Amino acid sequence: MIEWSAQHPRPLLRQPVNLAALAWLALGVLGALLASPLAPEGPIAADTTRSLLPPGPGGPLGTDLLGRGVLTRLLWGGRWTLGMGSLGLAIAVGLGLPTGLAAGFFGGHVEGVTMRLVDALLAFPGLLLAMAAVAVLGPGVISVAIAVGLAAAPAYARVARSAVLDVRAQPYVEAARALGGSEWRILARHVLPNAAAPLVAFAATQLGWILLNGAALTFLGLGAPPGTPDWGAMLNEGRGYLRDAPWVSGFPGLALTLTVLAANLLGDSLQKALRPH
Amino acid sequence: MKRLIPFLVLLSTLLAGCCDPLPPATPTATPLPFPSSGFTPTPIRLIYGLTLAPSGIDPHVNASSELGIPLTSVYDTLVYLDPESGEFVPGLAEDWDISEDEMAYTFYLRKGVTFHDGTPFDAEAVRFNLERITSPDLASQKARFMLGPYERTEVVDEYTVRIHLGEPFAPLLDSLSQVYLGMASPTAVEKWGSDYQLHQVGTGPFTFAEYVPQDYLLLRRNPDYAWGPKIYQHETALAEEIEFRFFADPATRSPALETGEAEIMGEIPPQDAVRLMESEDFIIEAVPIPGVSLMFFLNTTRAPLDDVDVRQALLYGTDRQAIVSTIFRDTSPVAYGPLAANTFGYEPAVRDYYAYDPTQAAALLDAAGWIDTDDDGIRDKDGEPLVLDMFLMSWGHMPEIGQLLAAQWAELGIGVNNQVVSYPEALEVAGEGRHHLIPFNLSGSDPDILRKFFHSEAGFNWSKLDDAEMDNWLEVAARTSDWEEREALYSQIQLRVMERGVAIPIRDYVNLNGASSQVEGLHFDAQGWFPWLIDVTVTEIQ
Amino acid sequence: MIARYIGRRLIQAASVLWLAATLAFVAMKLTPGDPAQALLAASGATETEIAERRTQLGLDDPLPLQYARYLWSLAQGDLGQSWLHGRSVGQMILEQFPATAELAISAIIIGTALGLALGVLAALRRSTWLDTAATALAVIGLSTPTYWSGLLAILLFSLHLRWLPATGEGDPRHLLLPSLVLGCALSGSIARLVRARVVEIMEEPFVQAARARGIPPWRVLLVHVLRPALPTALTVVALQFGFLLGGAVVTESVFARRGLGKLAVEAILWRDLPVVRGVIVLGALVYVLVNLAADLAQAWLNPRLREELA
């Protein structure tokens, strides 16, 4: 029937979902870092006698048109995709966090101007904004990372501002002010640490968004040079052989989905755990 | 809540009403009501799938081969090139003379020909067309250049016209056999001006019925057609209507054919073609295209490719058979020289050059001083690594070929930087010589096409070749109409291209056309691209 | 006064749009590449002709003047000329807009229906396995890239089962698969927020009070819980419009449909910047308008909010 009242959730790290998500992310990072010893042939080496073999005869995940192992390319591609995601996130946080903090903390004109700018940027659909940025910056995986980072920054600024506003209203901040601390000190010692939690949670969710849209850009052919094993680009490569060799697109898409899922689940759990009651 | 549901209902009704009614999902051989006349063809309606929608479809102006597929049947040309015999046969011109100095071509035109809008076809119409093509205002991208050293057209009498050239030009008849020099109605051109491409009028077996840019083009049978060349197998068209639709994404072409969305589909990707060939319900009409084969041009002015040994090493180190088998599933022949094997003037001796020999390639590189001193897998010399810049376009499987070449050459210690660029950018890069390697292929039935790529002043001279002897051969071969002399010259040209290693031929272009097995009469002209739609029909009606 | 509220929102929307347009202007100015050259490149113009065209386009004028002219043309709906085709950008966008709108609207309908159903279900059976399953479905929905689920859908429903056409447009059958794919992705975020809102409402004192008064559960549900939750769905759809437009772009590419997506991608690949600018300014416009409409609709639907404003 209908559950009218809430139940109490288990502690964060004890929930199997979160463990699984963390494990997958760790696996992804590890795989990317260890690509060289695990798949020493590299992502470019072709073997035309082994073209479009299914998983089994073609290695664990099959081969693509040029006979390259899909697993090999996934591992090497992890560097590109996860690297692009990390760089994008770094840019989003690096730009969004200070902006939002300043707006929330200093208020007044600072808040007015910056938040207007943020709203204007948020009016652009995220992917389209990223696409426009790539048009300006030119093709390349770094451009894609910068583009999605830029597109993600305004949302981050918004969240940062709300977090700061929440904390600023707390009694201990008033107390610190009354005791006569400088604004910067209060920001650094009281506001930031307490606002950190929702910011970290949002960062995890944003990572999902950045990966999704960054790979969308490479899928559309706007990023990497041909042959780059970025997961989005791999998805695009396999489109022509969907019927004969669905594994060429299938596995990169799966890897991408699981990674985004993991990021989202972690973000969700963190937000739930840290939400004030 | 109260307002939301009606809103959604309204929205869905609006949505349902906004779309066109479903066309039949089964293979569309829909009989249409047809008034009886002397000849009653089977009322057939076909859907023909094209690829990229070109931005302009005026054959006098635009250069794409896509436009020629429908328009070859809307326009007639003065002469036709018979693909079987290689000879020119009468078209709108019943006969012709060439003057002694080969600078004046006189055409005796067929009488009783009318354009689709009723305008009579005569010498004045021919003059009007050629003047239009050569006028600078039109900014013709292809047709103008096909006329070479054209000077003027003289109307001798109502049905006799003479074309005057500045110097002899052997490819003239070949040019006049192509849709780009098809005869358009002067009345229509004057009436529609810059919108003419939306309302084209010719004399051909089909009329230009409707055109929605980027969407579809409809051709309708011309019942009055009675002056086709003898290579057409019927007097008037068998099909009543042919609708052309665009399928820019290669992955969509085979599914469209297989689900009955189209009866004929051009440029089917190789692996889909292989599958269709094994099916009883479909046929693949594989048409080799004459012209310049798909080649990677080596920039001979940019180090290290200025060293002929390095270029030859690349040629020896390329396993072309592997490329053709893997990427093209053996639907194309390997190319050994600059001309496709079915082009007039092809020199078979090019096959003796550069059989795949990686050992030889490595030896050449060693001898040229390129050795991997720092053990990073890339050869180097005087501190410079052997890395080549390759610019690719996004069509024709070029990105895949580029990757495979990079993989093959990586085994030789050569590094490759691949990039995909848009066509205008590619032209810019190649023009400025910023590339080491850049591919291209171009179709054409006359071997004079080689001049575009290998003459020192040519627009597509992407190898940056400057060979006076070659220039001379190309110029002479363009002027003389003695076939034997031309053949000998082109033979020398092809062998010289291979000796100097200025380009890496990969494969001959083969257009893989798919069609439902009920389609009959699908055959293509000497250019390989353009079907003679007059003979096309569908046998069974469901 | 509600009029004051509307007025305020309109001004806000206008200022956001103005800022967005300015950003687009700045971005184009920052990009390397000469517009005059890009327009004339293919036709082989001379240096003087290019210089002439530059002056003609007003590119040699002082920046503030260019900016003012830009805003003025924008206000009149003139988005400039495509560098690739030479046609009016506005015209090109107008031609492609219906196809994208068709896809977006169908996706919204499917996504909202699915999202509402999933979200309400999860909230009502909170903390049971049903909740977990529904929430999991929602998260999976919004984590799956449409360019992957689209390919899988094509593989299954078109290539293997032959139920639906893989690509193209023209009738509802062509629309079904892409809007399903996009709709499912959208439903994820709607489901989550609807669930949160319903849970929130269920914990409100007035709901408990209604139950205590003996009102039958289904009536409490329908009138007191779901009705206030509806505006949330609306807000989410409005907020997610940005995602929707982006998703439509990708989905159009996967299913080879015409539309703004294809236009934008082609424009970026060929560095046809006026078209890129036109598409994103249009995107911003649509987004702002949709959110404005949603806010106003919310004010209308929500009696409490109306009272607050009055």
Side-chain angles (χ1 to χ4, degrees):
Chain A
M1 281 320 306
I2 300 176
E3 299 282 341
W4 288 99
S5 55
Q7 315 251 9
H8 294 290
R10 304 219 298 268
L12 201 65
L13 239 54
R14 294 266 288 273
Q15 293 170 28
V17 161
N18 295 327
L19 282 176
L22 269 173
W24 172 260
L25 285 176
L27 194 65
V29 172
L30 216 61
L33 290 175
L34 293 177
S36 195
L38 285 173
E41 63 271 21
I44 342 177
D47 182 355
T48 55
T49 58
R50 306 188 68 223
S51 169
L52 296 180
L53 292 175
L61 298 181
T63 57
D64 67 3
L65 179 71
L66 301 185
R68 303 176 293 202
V70 173
L71 181 59
T72 305
R73 300 197 86 220
L74 271 183
L75 289 173
W76 285 91
R79 297 186 176 188
W80 291 94
T81 305
L82 297 175
M84 178 265 296
S86 314
L87 181 58
L89 187 62
I91 291 175
V93 173
L95 286 176
L97 185 61
T99 314
L101 281 182
F105 193 70
F106 295 115
H109 282 317
V110 176
E111 180 176 14
V113 169
T114 46
M115 281 300 119
R116 268 293 125 80
L117 191 63
V118 165
D119 280 340
L121 282 172
L122 281 174
F124 293 113
L127 182 63
L128 294 184
L129 186 60
M131 285 170 78
V134 169
V136 171
L137 295 165
V141 178
I142 307 257
S143 301
V144 170
I146 297 177
V148 283
L150 280 174
Y156 206 81
R158 258 269 182 86
V159 170
R161 172 178 165 273
S162 322
V164 169
L165 286 180
D166 276 344
V167 172
R168 210 172 75 161
Q170 298 293 331
Y172 55 82
V173 175
E174 294 295 323
R177 276 236 178 77
L179 288 174
S182 84
E183 292 291 294
W184 289 103
R185 243 174 138 235
I186 297 178
L187 183 64
R189 290 196 71 200
H190 296 279
V191 175
L192 204 46
N194 287 294
L199 292 177
V200 170
F202 193 65
T205 319
Q206 283 248 298
L207 180 62
W209 189 92
I210 287 174
L211 283 171
L212 213 54
N213 285 282
L217 290 178
T218 47
F219 171 79
L220 292 172
L222 300 175
T228 314
D230 166 89
W231 296 349
M234 286 175 72
L235 257 172
N236 193 20
E237 273 176 18
R239 280 178 71 187
Y241 320 102
L242 210 50
R243 203 200 216 131
D244 303 316
W247 52 88
V248 181
S249 283
F251 288 118
L254 187 61
L256 203 55
T257 307
L258 289 176
T259 312
V260 174
L261 190 59
N264 279 331
L265 285 173
L266 279 177
D268 278 356
S269 303
L270 283 170
Q271 279 184 329
K272 254 191 285 206
L274 302 167
R275 180 171 301 144
H277 303 291
Chain B
M1 185 70 146
K2 285 203 200 115
R3 290 170 198 265
L4 200 58
I5 289 184
F7 173 68
L8 288 174
V9 169
L10 179 65
L11 209 57
S12 22
T13 28
L14 280 175
L15 192 64
C18 84
C19 308
D20 294 329
L22 266 84
T26 49
T28 57
T30 354
L32 293 171
F34 189 73
S36 55
S37 68
F39 180 164
T40 32
T42 337
I44 296 291
R45 194 167 177 276
L46 284 178
I47 301 189
Y48 196 124
L50 297 175
T51 60
L52 275 174
S55 51
I57 62 162
D58 185 336
H60 292 173
V61 180
N62 305 102
S64 93
S65 43
E66 215 60 22
L67 67 86
I69 297 178
L71 296 179
T72 301
S73 302
V74 170
Y75 293 101
D76 289 319
T77 47
L78 290 178
V79 299
Y80 285 81
L81 180 54
D82 184 344
E84 315 240 322
S85 66
E87 312 241 313
F88 292 103
V89 302
L92 289 175
E94 285 181 328
D95 202 357
W96 56 90
D97 293 329
I98 307 179
S99 66
E100 270 292 318
D101 60 2
E102 296 181 15
M103 286 169 48
Y105 286 65
T106 310
F107 293 92
Y108 303 98
L109 304 177
R110 204 181 170 119
K111 304 181 179 61
V113 177
T114 46
F115 290 97
H116 302 142
D117 60 1
T119 317
F121 170 74
D122 55 16
E124 183 54 44
V126 175
R127 194 185 67 83
F128 179 89
N129 272 273
L130 294 178
E131 302 282 276
R132 176 183 193 241
I133 289 169
T134 53
S135 99
D137 293 332
L138 194 67
S140 166
Q141 296 166 18
K142 182 167 176 136
R144 168 68 190 92
F145 304 102
M146 294 171 74
L147 286 172
Y150 167 91
E151 275 193 349
R152 63 190 173 88
T153 310
E154 177 195 343
V155 172
V156 175
D157 63 47
E158 196 184 354
Y159 292 104
T160 314
V161 68
R162 185 169 296 137
I163 299 179
H164 293 270
L165 302 171
E167 53 177 34
F169 185 60
L172 184 67
L173 284 181
D174 178 85
S175 297
L176 289 171
S177 75
Q178 296 189 41
V179 62
Y180 305 99
L181 293 175
M183 293 293 138
S185 158
T187 325
V189 171
E190 278 176 346
K191 175 178 174 194
W192 295 105
S194 54
D195 274 345
Y196 173 69
Q197 64 163 327
L198 302 174
H199 307 272
Q200 303 191 38
V201 176
T203 58
F206 283 90
T207 63
F208 189 96
E210 280 165 45
Y211 176 51
V212 176
Q214 321 284 316
D215 196 357
Y216 73 93
L217 167 60
L218 186 64
L219 296 189
R220 201 167 283 139
R221 180 180 165 272
N222 174 11
D224 304 322
Y225 191 70
W227 44 81
K230 66 177 200 230
I231 43 185
Y232 283 179
Q233 290 165 13
H234 298 89
E235 195 178 84
T236 52
L238 293 184
E240 179 59 27
E241 279 186 357
I242 302 186
E243 182 183 329
F244 290 85
R245 298 209 192 132
F246 299 100
F247 295 85
D249 188 347
T252 61
R253 293 178 204 151
S254 170
L257 190 64
E258 292 175 83
T259 55
E261 254 179 84
E263 273 77 38
I264 304 177
M265 180 69 68
E267 294 197 67
I268 303 230
Q271 69 283 353
D272 290 329
V274 166
R275 191 184 59 244
L276 291 175
M277 281 194 251
E278 293 163 14
S279 156
E280 278 183 359
D281 301 321
F282 299 98
I283 54 171
I284 294 284
E285 199 57 50
V287 183
I289 308 281
V292 163
S293 47
L294 177 66
M295 298 206 285
F296 278 75
F297 294 93
L298 303 171
N299 186 350
T300 56
T301 58
R302 191 168 174 222
L305 294 184
D306 50 354
D307 181 349
V308 63
D309 289 331
V310 175
R311 298 200 299 268
Q312 293 197 331
L314 286 177
L315 278 154
Y316 278 115
T318 305
D319 185 354
R320 288 175 269 184
Q321 184 59 56
I323 295 178
V324 163
S325 299
T326 314
I327 298 179
F328 298 101
R329 304 325 234 188
D330 288 323
T331 55
S332 293
V334 172
Y336 293 97
L339 278 185
N342 67 332
T343 319
F344 162 73
Y346 173 71
E347 171 54 73
V350 292
R351 290 171 187 257
D352 300 330
Y353 286 84
Y354 306 117
Y356 179 50
D357 190 349
T359 329
Q360 170 75 328
L364 278 167
L365 288 172
D366 288 336
W370 291 94
I371 307 178
D372 189 5
T373 53
D374 52 7
D375 212 24
D376 61 350
I378 309 273
R379 293 172 186 257
D380 44 82
K381 180 175 165 183
D382 303 329
E384 287 289 311
L386 184 47
V387 174
L388 303 172
D389 292 322
M390 187 187 293
F391 291 84
L392 301 159
M393 283 147 273
S394 57
W395 67 78
H397 301 270
M398 287 190 210
E400 287 100 313
I401 300 175
Q403 288 179 56
L404 197 46
L405 285 173
Q408 290 179 357
W409 295 342
E411 290 173 27
L412 285 173
I414 304 174
V416 174
N417 284 333
N418 267 338
Q419 316 181 26
V420 174
V421 291
S422 65
Y423 184 54
E425 218 179 319
L427 291 177
E428 202 185 297
V429 165
E432 293 168 19
R434 282 192 274 139
H435 62 290
H436 280 120
L437 294 136
I438 191 162
F440 207 59
N441 72 309
L442 196 61
S443 63
S445 40
D446 190 295
D448 182 50
I449 197 177
L450 287 170
R451 191 157 52 94
K452 282 198 168 66
F453 293 90
F454 297 111
H455 192 287
S456 56
E457 288 164 28
F460 285 106
N461 178 15
W462 292 352
S463 307
K464 306 296 174 193
L465 201 56
D466 192 359
D467 183 337
E469 210 180 355
M470 172 95 83
D471 285 355
N472 181 254
W473 291 340
L474 286 164
E475 288 162 18
V476 172
R479 279 203 292 267
T480 171
S481 40
D482 179 329
W483 289 122
E484 274 179 23
E485 198 185 332
R486 294 189 82 201
E487 244 182 325
L489 285 167
Y490 285 120
S491 170
Q492 287 175 290
I493 291 168
Q494 291 168 69
L495 294 175
R496 172 68 66 92
V497 166
M498 295 320 294
E499 274 159 22
R500 298 201 52 184
V502 298
I504 307 177
I506 303 287
R507 67 141 188 162
D508 289 351
Y509 204 103
V510 172
N511 186 3
L512 297 165
N513 297 286
S516 138
S517 52
Q518 296 163 344
V519 168
E520 278 187 4
L522 183 65
H523 40 224
F524 292 78
D525 72 346
Q527 305 301 320
W529 282 114
F530 312 127
W532 286 324
L533 298 172
I534 190 174
D535 300 320
V536 173
T537 181
V538 177
T539 49
E540 285 148 45
I541 301 180
Q542 293 198 350
Chain C
M1 283 275 320
I2 233 184
R4 275 252 288 273
Y5 175 70
I6 295 178
R8 245 195 7 242
R9 285 295 282 114
L10 276 173
I11 294 180
Q12 207 181 35
S15 69
V16 167
L17 275 175
W18 166 75
L19 209 50
T22 309
L23 284 172
F25 177 79
V26 168
M28 271 218 28
K29 282 294 154 199
L30 286 176
T31 317
D34 182 10
Q37 185 152 54
L39 264 169
L40 297 178
S43 47
T46 62
E47 283 298 317
T48 18
E49 284 172 0
I50 294 182
E52 264 171 38
R53 186 55 92 86
R54 289 204 82 222
T55 332
Q56 199 184 44
L57 288 173
L59 292 169
D60 293 328
D61 294 331
L63 221 53
L65 184 58
Q66 288 189 46
Y67 178 58
R69 213 182 281 131
Y70 162 75
L71 283 182
W72 179 238
S73 348
L74 213 56
Q76 297 181 316
D78 176 13
L79 289 162
Q81 223 189 2
S82 157
W83 290 353
L84 184 59
H85 299 286
R87 301 173 57 205
S88 146
V89 173
Q91 179 75 4
M92 290 171 71
I93 289 181
L94 227 63
E95 282 170 5
Q96 304 298 332
F97 184 71
T100 306
E102 191 182 61
L103 179 59
I105 293 177
S106 324
I108 288 177
I109 294 177
I110 294 179
T112 312
L114 259 176
L116 274 174
L118 221 57
V120 169
L121 190 65
L124 295 183
R125 308 286 256 132
R126 221 176 341 158
S127 306
T128 64
W129 67 269
L130 206 56
D131 179 14
T132 323
T135 317
L137 224 65
V139 175
I140 292 177
L142 61 86
S143 306
T144 311
T146 46
Y147 40 94
W148 187 56
S149 51
L151 286 182
L152 290 181
I154 290 179
L155 185 60
L156 181 61
F157 294 107
S158 302
L159 299 180
H160 280 306
L161 292 174
R162 303 273 185 104
W163 285 354
L164 293 164
T167 52
E169 60 254 349
D171 57 65
R173 283 184 320 134
H174 286 115
L175 195 54
L176 188 56
L177 217 46
S179 26
L180 255 177
V181 167
L182 194 52
C184 285
L186 186 61
S187 68
S189 28
I190 295 180
R192 275 172 7 137
L193 279 145
V194 165
R195 179 194 179 282
R197 182 83 181 103
V198 170
V199 164
E200 215 174 60
I201 296 174
M202 284 188 358
E203 284 173 355
E204 291 268 344
F206 76 84
V207 171
Q208 310 290 343
R211 284 192 65 218
R213 285 217 298 274
I215 301 179
W218 64 267
R219 216 188 130 87
V220 177
L221 185 64
L222 221 51
V223 176
H224 294 100
V225 176
L226 286 185
R227 204 183 131 159
L230 240 300
T232 309
L234 214 64
T235 317
V236 177
V237 170
L239 283 176
Q240 288 291 317
F241 222 82
F243 158 77
L244 199 61
L245 287 178
V249 165
V250 177
T251 313
E252 277 169 14
S253 174
V254 173
F255 289 90
R257 293 174 59 89
R258 275 184 315 138
L260 290 177
K262 187 150 173 291
L263 187 68
V265 172
E266 187 195 66
I268 295 180
L269 285 173
W270 294 69
R271 303 308 277 296
D272 190 357
L273 295 180
V275 174
V276 177
R277 180 184 62 188
V279 173
I280 63 170
V281 167
L282 178 75
L285 179 68
V286 171
Y287 185 77
V288 167
L289 286 179
V290 166
N291 274 284
L292 187 63
D295 280 350
L296 295 178
Q298 260 219 37
W300 185 256
L301 283 177
N302 191 341
R304 255 210 289 182
L305 195 51
R306 269 154 83 179
E307 275 169 35
E308 272 174 30
L309 296 170

